[in-house]
Amino acid sequence: MRKIRPLCFALVGLVGAATSVRALDSTSVSPNGDELPVAEPVVVSATRFDIPLDQLPASASVIDSQDIENKQIERVADALRGVPGLNVVQTGTAGQLTSVFMRGLPSQDMQVLLDGIPINQGLAGQFDFANLTTDNIDRIEVVRGPQSTIYGPRALAGVIQIFTKQGNGTPGVTLSEEGGTYDTFRETLESDGKIGDFDYSLGASRIDTDNARPNNAYRNTSAITDFGWSPNEQARIGALLAYSESETGNPNSIFDQLIIF
């Protein structure tokens, strides 16, 4: 039998002094063609305000959208595999329980944030990264070491904060389709832009694969959107909506599992 795990959540936040903080380009060139000094990425997770990575007192890593695109990473868990001090454990094929451990401490001692909002708030304080895709993600910040003074007792090992993209410029749409062995297909939709004082960004994907062995098929549909209104340059009222539905082929299952949060 198959196990179906639909996940959906809606998050709304009011930002009183929001600024668009994005990872800076690693290289830059002046209009004359001269190389300019390399700018360090900006990190906010360790101090709650933007600070260059080279001035950060804590040990931190930044994975930006360019890294994700260059490596064609589909899931956040795969993006975290190359971060020092992190151990990503997956119990089977795609869609199975995936946990992240930081510096050898239990996964519940690591705070996971999506645009500053905790998403591992269950009784155990754990988060399953199995079906969290990289759709509409601008960057991922990983701060290693105790951050309990800022984020509470669940940040004993550190913090993983995921930032979504914020629309800017003329609205546009990007569509893509990929295919491979074992009947593997992936379709993606991306769109973002700004119209007057309103901005939006949207990322959605569908993944289908039968995997190499029988009874291991995996299906995942995910979407995440961020939209907001800026009455002035200092304030932004925004909302974040995310949805994920996954289906895994597991033999000897007794019942289907449904999780909604």
Side-chain angles (χ1 to χ4, degrees):
M1 296 179 63
R2 294 177 298 180
K3 180 169 66 175
I4 302 174
R5 297 192 293 180
L7 309 175
C8 59
F9 52 92
L11 308 172
V12 180
L14 172 62
V15 182
T19 56
S20 178
V21 182
R22 300 181 182 272
L24 303 178
D25 295 336
S26 58
T27 59
S28 57
V29 180
S30 69
N32 298 327
D34 300 327
E35 275 195 27
L36 298 177
V38 177
E40 283 290 329
V42 172
V43 179
V44 301
S45 299
T47 57
R48 286 191 181 272
F49 60 88
D50 54 312
I51 182 173
L53 183 61
D54 60 349
Q55 299 178 18
L56 195 66
S59 176
S61 300
V62 177
I63 306 169
D64 60 22
S65 57
Q66 191 63 49
D67 294 331
I68 294 173
E69 183 178 351
N70 291 341
K71 298 176 182 178
Q72 294 293 292
I73 299 173
E74 299 176 357
R75 298 186 302 155
V76 172
D78 295 328
L80 296 174
R81 293 184 187 276
V83 177
L86 263 62
N87 186 20
V88 180
V89 178
Q90 184 172 310
T91 58
T93 56
Q96 304 300 323
L97 177 64
T98 304
S99 302
V100 177
F101 302 89
M102 186 178 293
R103 291 189 167 180
L105 292 175
S107 59
Q108 61 264 30
D109 290 334
M110 177 186 65
Q111 184 69 72
V112 184
L113 303 161
L114 181 61
D115 282 346
I117 303 171
I119 56 177
N120 59 331
Q121 290 296 93
L123 293 177
Q126 299 173 335
F127 182 76
D128 185 5
F129 285 83
N131 303 300
L132 183 59
T133 63
T134 56
D135 299 320
N136 204 34
I137 289 181
D138 179 58
R139 73 185 189 280
I140 304 170
E141 295 182 3
V142 180
V143 181
R144 297 174 291 275
Q147 303 294 322
S148 301
T149 55
I150 300 178
Y151 296 102
R154 284 183 175 160
L156 180 62
V159 175
I160 295 177
Q161 182 156 199
I162 304 163
F163 293 90
T164 57
K165 296 178 180 179
Q166 184 174 321
N168 190 21
T170 305
V173 179
T174 301
L175 298 171
S176 69
E177 183 170 358
E178 306 170 11
T181 55
Y182 308 119
D183 287 332
T184 301
F185 296 96
R186 180 173 183 254
E187 300 83 26
T188 64
L189 165 67
E190 295 181 1
S191 179
D192 66 85
K194 188 172 184 179
I195 304 173
D197 295 331
F198 294 89
D199 64 83
Y200 79 95
S201 63
L202 167 68
S205 67
R206 168 73 181 187
I207 302 174
D208 297 85
T209 180
D210 290 340
N211 284 314
R213 298 191 303 273
N215 299 316
N216 272 296
Y218 176 63
R219 311 284 185 262
N220 177 264
T221 303
S222 297
I224 184 168
T225 180
D226 179 289
F227 55 92
W229 171 62
S230 302
N232 53 58
E233 294 182 356
Q234 288 75 35
R236 179 178 184 265
I237 301 173
L240 178 67
L241 304 175
Y243 173 83
S244 177
E245 181 178 352
S246 64
E247 182 179 336
T248 58
N250 294 324
N252 302 322
S253 295
I254 299 176
F255 56 87
D256 292 336
Q257 182 180 11
L258 176 66
I259 302 175
I260 300 177
F261 66 94

